[in-house]
């Protein structure tokens, strides 16, 4: 394929906008890249108030990071995170574009750096497993006789 001249490229950018790098990745991580994310919380995790302690731990460890919030979450659920970000003097952004998800499994909050940090894991459940296990009640195991009777 022939390389476009500078003029053609400028016209294309003027008409269609500047092309984005990894638009699906940016859409998933609320406008940032995966390599910059330190903590990612789903909408379901954001609405669960038991996860606030883990959020505090994360932002206390990284005071120079920023918080990106999904604006499709109810304001009552976002307000504790906004308050904590303000108390810790963190920059925060609320993204309300229609491209960001509204389901409980979509991302609702991202703590991110301005540069690449390549941290693993980033999901709340994997990074802070002790809190996630407390939230899920343990179901007692049934013996084979109870399973047989359907109890």
């Amino acid at each position: 394929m022939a390389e476009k001249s500078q003029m053609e490229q400028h016209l294309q950018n003027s008409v269609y906008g500047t092309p984005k790098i990894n638009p699906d990745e940016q859409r998933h991580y609320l406008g940032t890249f995966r390599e910059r994310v330190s903590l990612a919380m789903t909408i379901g995790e954001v609405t669960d108030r038991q996860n606030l302690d883990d959020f505090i731990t994360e932002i206390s460890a990284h005071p120079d990071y920023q918080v990106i919030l999904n604006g499709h979450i109810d304001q009552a659920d976002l307000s504790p995170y906004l308050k904590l970000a303000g108390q810790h003097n963190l920059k925060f952004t609320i993204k309300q574009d229609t491209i960001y998800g509204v389901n409980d499994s979509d991302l609702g909050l991202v703590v991110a750096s301005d540069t690449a940090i390549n941290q693993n894991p980033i999901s709340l459940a994997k990074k802070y497993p002790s809190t996630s296990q407390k939230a899920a009640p343990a179901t007692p195991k049934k013996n084979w006789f109870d399973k047989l009777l359907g109890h």
Side-chain angles (χ1 to χ4, degrees):
M1 182 159 87
E3 195 171 315
K4 293 182 182 179
S5 72
Q6 244 184 339
M7 181 58 93
E8 287 177 26
Q9 192 172 13
H10 180 72
L11 287 172
Q12 289 288 327
N13 290 349
S14 297
V15 173
Y16 300 110
T18 306
K20 289 191 171 192
I21 300 170
N22 296 338
D24 291 333
E25 180 180 323
Q26 287 185 11
R27 192 175 308 119
H28 180 71
Y29 292 105
L30 301 178
T32 191
F33 296 106
R34 159 64 180 90
E35 62 196 20
R36 296 179 179 182
V37 176
S38 171
L39 177 69
M41 295 173 64
T42 64
I43 292 176
E45 292 169 338
V46 170
T47 57
D48 184 3
R49 302 269 173 139
Q50 292 180 349
N51 296 323
L52 281 171
D53 290 336
D54 296 332
F55 175 72
I56 292 170
T57 303
E58 187 69 26
I59 63 174
S60 297
H62 307 289
D64 55 332
Y65 289 2
Q66 67 176 329
V67 179
I68 305 170
L69 299 152
N70 188 334
H72 298 293
I73 301 173
D74 189 51
Q75 185 64 31
D77 292 322
L78 284 183
S79 63
Y81 296 96
L82 294 171
K83 184 178 176 183
L84 287 167
Q87 287 174 349
H88 287 83
N89 295 323
L90 271 116
K91 296 185 290 184
F92 64 88
T93 305
I94 299 175
K95 303 278 185 146
Q96 292 185 322
D97 296 342
T98 56
I99 60 171
Y100 302 120
V102 295
N103 300 323
D104 279 353
S105 60
D106 293 323
L107 289 185
L109 181 146
V110 170
V111 178
S113 172
D114 291 337
T115 59
I117 54 174
N118 292 319
Q119 201 166 31
N120 243 347
I122 61 167
S123 70
L124 179 78
K126 291 180 182 174
K127 195 166 189 174
Y128 299 102
S130 59
T131 308
S132 301
Q133 290 174 356
K134 285 189 287 187
T139 56
K141 289 191 173 188
K142 295 181 180 181
N143 62 29
W144 68 272
F145 190 70
D146 287 338
K147 288 181 185 177
L148 182 66
L149 294 176
H151 292 270

